[in-house]
Amino acid sequence: MSDGEAVAAANVEQIPVPPRPRIVTAELERIAQAVRAHCPKDTTISFEYDDRLQINIDIRKLEDLMAVEGVLPTLLGGIFTKLQRGLVDNRPFQHRLTADVDC
């Protein structure tokens, strides 16, 4: 590196990049934690968005799913609506509880 390049490199500052907002991520994590507190340990919780936000709760035992189904409408001020039961594709021993998230 020549002296001119070294001086130029020393005068170059990195452009500060503001941190990316994590508002949505934080809110989804807050919702998942509230639900997870009422679920068995091996429960899988995921979200989908296709014109509306939905939560998917995958649970092994039907009895556990029914317990979560009973408490879900009361959590977080009633943001969970339109609950539906189903099975999980490619997982024959998993039950899925799906609900719209109105937040």
Side-chain angles (χ1 to χ4, degrees):
M1 193 183 312
S2 71
D3 290 335
E5 290 174 340
V7 170
N11 291 332
V12 174
E13 294 180 26
Q14 186 172 5
I15 298 172
V17 178
R20 296 171 67 187
R22 299 185 48 93
I23 297 168
V24 173
T25 302
E27 183 65 11
L28 293 177
E29 183 59 30
R30 182 182 74 85
I31 292 168
Q33 288 297 328
V35 172
R36 193 170 284 118
H38 297 278
C39 294
K41 193 177 197 176
D42 61 347
T43 298
T44 302
I45 297 174
S46 61
F47 294 92
E48 288 182 38
Y49 182 81
D50 188 12
D51 292 329
R52 64 181 185 198
L53 181 61
Q54 289 185 314
I55 188 168
N56 298 317
I57 306 166
D58 298 341
I59 301 175
R60 183 169 297 277
K61 294 181 183 178
L62 183 59
E63 298 82 18
D64 292 334
L65 180 130
M66 292 169 56
V68 173
E69 184 179 33
V71 74
L72 196 62
T74 66
L75 294 178
L76 299 172
I79 66 170
F80 301 105
T81 60
K82 300 180 185 172
L83 280 66
Q84 295 180 344
R85 290 186 201 172
L87 297 175
V88 180
D89 293 339
N90 300 322
R91 294 185 184 173
F93 300 108
Q94 291 281 319
H95 302 278
R96 175 168 284 176
L97 181 61
T98 302
D100 284 0
V101 182
D102 300 328
C103 52

